[in-house]
């Protein structure tokens, strides 16, 4: 008698092929999005200009986006591709646990990024904020604080929502509403930003 049951690895292989296909399709959608590409190039050039002029880059996000924030700051402080260049001043907000818990406890969780940004940033600095929804209260608040501090703000987010209220100077909107796919493309765009800043600012 033939056993027609599928091996569980076949299901996993099909799942992997599906996820790779979804990511590849999103990459192609981004490649064809002239507005997103222009905003990304603008963000890279303006961040590099800030660094050349003695500015600091601040990066923040929640959850997986927090991991990407530390990833990108690490790429800039350490070497990305050029191991002989100077370290680039990049700060991932929200990783001083004493400050984070004090602010969250004494004020609100919505202030965990904005308060340190206000303390540390100077006019002409740059903020990269990562939020797949673009609507997280602490991301909205840090973008407002960036405007108040005359800091250039770049929001990396997902597909635009009708009620998107985050007040960013530059919007890098990946055309997807699926969190893992958005985060994958944020890393692709983030790596480009790091490579461009490394090449232009050092």
């Amino acid at each position: 008698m033939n056993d027609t049951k599928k091996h569980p690895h076949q299901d996993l292989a099909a799942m992997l092929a599906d996820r790779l296909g979804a990511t590849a399709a999103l990459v192609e959608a981004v490649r064809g999005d002239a507005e997103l590409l222009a905003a990304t190039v603008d963000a890279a050039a303006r961040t590099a200009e800030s660094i050349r002029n003695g500015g600091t880059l601040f990066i923040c996000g929640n959850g997986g986006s927090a991991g990407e924030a530390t990833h990108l700051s690490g790429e800039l402080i350490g070497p990305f591709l050029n191991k002989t260049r100077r370290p680039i001043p990049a700060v991932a907000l929200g990783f001083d646990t004493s400050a984070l818990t004090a602010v969250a406890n004494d004020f609100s969780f919505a202030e965990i990024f904005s308060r340190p940004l206000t303390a540390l940033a100077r006019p002409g600095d740059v903020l990269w904020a990562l939020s797949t929804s673009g609507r997280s209260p602490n991301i909205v608040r840090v973008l407002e604080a960036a405007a108040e501090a005359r800091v250039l703000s770049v929001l990396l987010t997902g597909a635009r929502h009708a009620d998107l209220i985050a007040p960013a100077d530059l919007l890098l909107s990946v055309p997807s509403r699926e969190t893992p796919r958005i985060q994958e493309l944020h890393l692709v765009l983030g790596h480009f930003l790091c490579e461009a800043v490394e090449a232009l600012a050092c």
Side-chain angles (χ1 to χ4, degrees):
M1 186 169 68
N2 291 331
D3 185 357
T4 59
K5 288 179 65 177
K6 286 198 299 183
H7 193 283
H9 285 186
Q10 291 177 300
D11 291 334
L12 292 176
M15 181 187 295
L16 175 59
D18 178 73
R19 300 306 181 268
L20 291 172
T23 299
L26 186 55
V27 169
E28 288 306 308
V30 168
R31 278 168 54 91
D33 189 330
E35 184 177 358
L36 172 55
L37 297 182
T40 304
V41 168
D42 195 13
R46 294 173 71 179
T47 301
E49 181 181 16
S50 170
I51 298 300
R52 285 197 305 270
N53 292 333
T56 298
L57 170 64
F58 298 89
I59 314 174
C60 65
N62 293 293
S65 297
E68 292 199 17
T70 58
H71 179 139
L72 297 175
S73 66
E75 300 285 25
L76 293 169
I77 293 170
F80 183 64
L81 295 176
N82 179 2
K83 290 182 168 37
T84 64
R85 53 95 171 158
R86 68 179 177 90
I88 292 169
V91 177
L93 297 172
F95 290 87
D96 178 337
T97 55
S98 293
L100 184 150
T101 53
V103 171
N105 185 62
D106 295 339
F107 298 96
S108 78
F109 194 76
E111 302 291 326
I112 64 166
F113 300 136
S114 58
R115 196 162 177 87
L117 182 80
T118 299
L120 299 172
R122 297 173 298 173
D125 287 343
V126 178
L127 169 72
W128 296 350
L130 289 78
S131 172
T132 57
S133 71
R135 296 179 291 183
S136 301
N138 55 13
I139 294 297
V140 173
R141 181 65 196 104
V142 76
L143 291 168
E144 293 171 344
E148 293 163 6
R150 290 184 291 157
V151 168
L152 175 73
S153 61
V154 180
L155 173 62
L156 287 80
T157 188
R160 298 185 188 190
H161 295 264
D163 59 345
L164 180 68
I165 57 174
D169 295 313
L170 293 172
L171 184 65
L172 278 53
S173 178
V174 172
S176 173
R177 298 193 188 281
E178 190 176 354
T179 295
R181 305 290 85 78
I182 297 167
Q183 290 174 335
E184 288 161 3
L185 267 293
H186 281 178
L187 188 55
V188 171
L189 296 177
H191 275 168
F192 167 78
L193 291 171
C194 288
E195 183 174 356
V197 169
E198 181 179 74
L200 295 173
C202 298

